[in-house]
Amino acid sequence: QVQLVESGGGLVQPGGSLRLSCAASGSFFSINAMGWYRQALGKERELVATITSGGSTNYADSVKGRFTISRDNAKNTVYLYMNSLKPEDTAVYYCNALVTTFSKYELNYWGQGTQVTVSA
């Protein structure tokens, strides 16, 4: 079983910055891709950014140039640095991890979500 614990959400003014963190714990062979998704009220969950174990990244067009994803493999932690925040970035942000178990199954895990609100 794998647990993903997110932190760093909150209320910020437009143009401000936040850093989200997500630490994975539990028993597993390896963590492959990690990422962040978000779901605004009344909308479907959407990809924000992903990063592979090798450091390759992928971003939604709406956040390119403003958000940066990184990970610390030694700490099994992924970060999302969010700059130039806009009201439309308001959402619950979910951490995601694709994990290989000791039995060599690949399983997908989600965090509990952290609220990010961008408002004056």
Side-chain angles (χ1 to χ4, degrees):
Q1 190 71 9
V2 175
Q3 296 79 41
L4 301 177
V5 179
E6 299 137 336
S7 60
L11 174 63
V12 63
Q13 292 186 343
S17 300
L18 279 176
R19 187 190 79 163
L20 303 183
S21 301
C22 171
S25 63
S27 180
F28 48 85
F29 179 75
S30 66
I31 300 179
N32 307 323
M34 299 186 80
W36 292 94
Y37 291 71
R38 67 186 181 187
Q39 187 167 17
L41 198 61
K43 295 188 177 181
E44 294 187 352
R45 191 174 297 189
E46 63 176 5
L47 178 145
V48 176
T50 61
I51 184 168
T52 68
S53 57
S56 297
T57 59
N58 181 50
Y59 294 92
D61 287 342
S62 59
V63 307
K64 281 180 181 176
R66 300 188 298 121
F67 291 9
T68 301
I69 189 170
S70 67
R71 65 189 280 177
D72 184 334
N73 290 330
K75 295 182 179 180
N76 294 322
T77 300
V78 63
Y79 304 96
L80 185 68
Y81 297 86
M82 303 184 292
N83 297 315
S84 303
L85 282 161
K86 305 174 181 180
E88 50 264 43
D89 294 318
T90 296
V92 177
Y93 284 69
Y94 295 93
C95 176
N96 176 267
L98 192 60
V99 171
T100 298
T101 69
F102 287 108
S103 302
K104 301 302 169 69
Y105 290 104
E106 200 167 56
L107 300 177
N108 201 34
Y109 290 91
W110 292 94
Q112 79 285 358
T114 185
Q115 177 70 45
V116 171
T117 302
V118 184
S119 175

